[in-house]
Amino acid sequence: EDKVVQSPLSLVVHEGDTVTLNCSYEVTNFRSLLWYKQEKKAPTFLFMLTSSGIEKKSGRLSSILDKKELFSILNITATQTGDSAIYLCAVEAFWAGNTPLVFGKGTRLSVIA
Amino acid sequence: DTAVSQTPKYLVTQMGNDKSIKCEQNLGHDTMYWYKQDSKKFLKIMFSYNNKELIINETVPNRFSPKSPDKAHLNLHINSLELGDSAVYFCASSQEPQAGANVLTFGAGSRLTVL
């Protein structure tokens, strides 16, 4: 069965800290790995990763994928209170023409002033 | 303009009732989904519709029935509601997966509470 495991499940840091969120996966016919940020409502898309070793960056957020070791990390530098959210990792598997996403349980990040 | 919109946002109902949640997307996407998020925030796919054809049904009870009148709409009907159905239900859409990235755009969610 395909699965996605995120760690830690929750994290509390102070503003200005740097955090690293982890996502490991076991999936047949891996296609891509995606990170989402969920605040109060719908998850919003952050990154999609398909190739190992290529860092994706957006402002203070960056992410990288290791397809050999089957994991990804999401880094947030100089955290702000607005970064407080649940960060979801999802893996896309390709099978029979359909590509469902399998989600991890998320990491709840709390940034305190 | 809201890309993926769901109604209602909140729904409180008694066990045994039948209810529907509607979803519409104006992105021109080919595939729409329903996800269930439980109290622990775990998102699990329920259904996926592509060109009005059901392509995924992840062991969801048959009390749940998706209805897609056209490509832009995917409604979720639930019969005989149970306490365990209480959750937030997210609608999402994406382009045809084979065309490339399966990046989902989510609706704001519909919080269902069954008493």
Side-chain angles (χ1 to χ4, degrees), chain B residues 18-85:
Chain B
D18 302 337
K19 290 293 176 187
S20 292
I21 307 172
K22 295 185 177 180
C23 179
E24 176 182 1
Q25 55 99 0
N26 62 6
L27 298 167
H29 284 169
D30 295 310
T31 307
M32 295 183 71
Y33 309 82
W34 277 105
Y35 281 84
K36 179 181 180 181
Q37 187 177 49
D38 60 24
S39 57
K40 296 182 181 177
K41 302 296 184 183
F42 184 37
L43 269 173
K44 186 164 175 137
I45 189 165
M46 300 176 71
F47 301 105
S48 169
Y49 254 75
N50 178 275
N51 290 327
K52 294 204 260 186
E53 288 185 43
L54 179 66
I55 56 176
I56 302 173
N57 183 339
E58 291 284 318
T59 64
V60 173
N62 57 15
R63 296 182 296 105
F64 291 80
S65 53
K67 298 267 191 295
S68 181
D70 55 56
K71 198 173 87 162
H73 296 84
L74 182 64
N75 303 323
L76 182 65
H77 189 75
I78 316 168
N79 290 326
S80 303
L81 280 157
E82 300 177 357
L83 292 177
D85 298 332

Side-chain angles (χ1 to χ4, degrees), chain B residues 82-95:
Chain B
E82 300 177 357
L83 292 177
D85 298 332
S86 296
V88 180
Y89 292 85
F90 282 100
C91 178
S93 70
S94 71
Q95 284 288 15

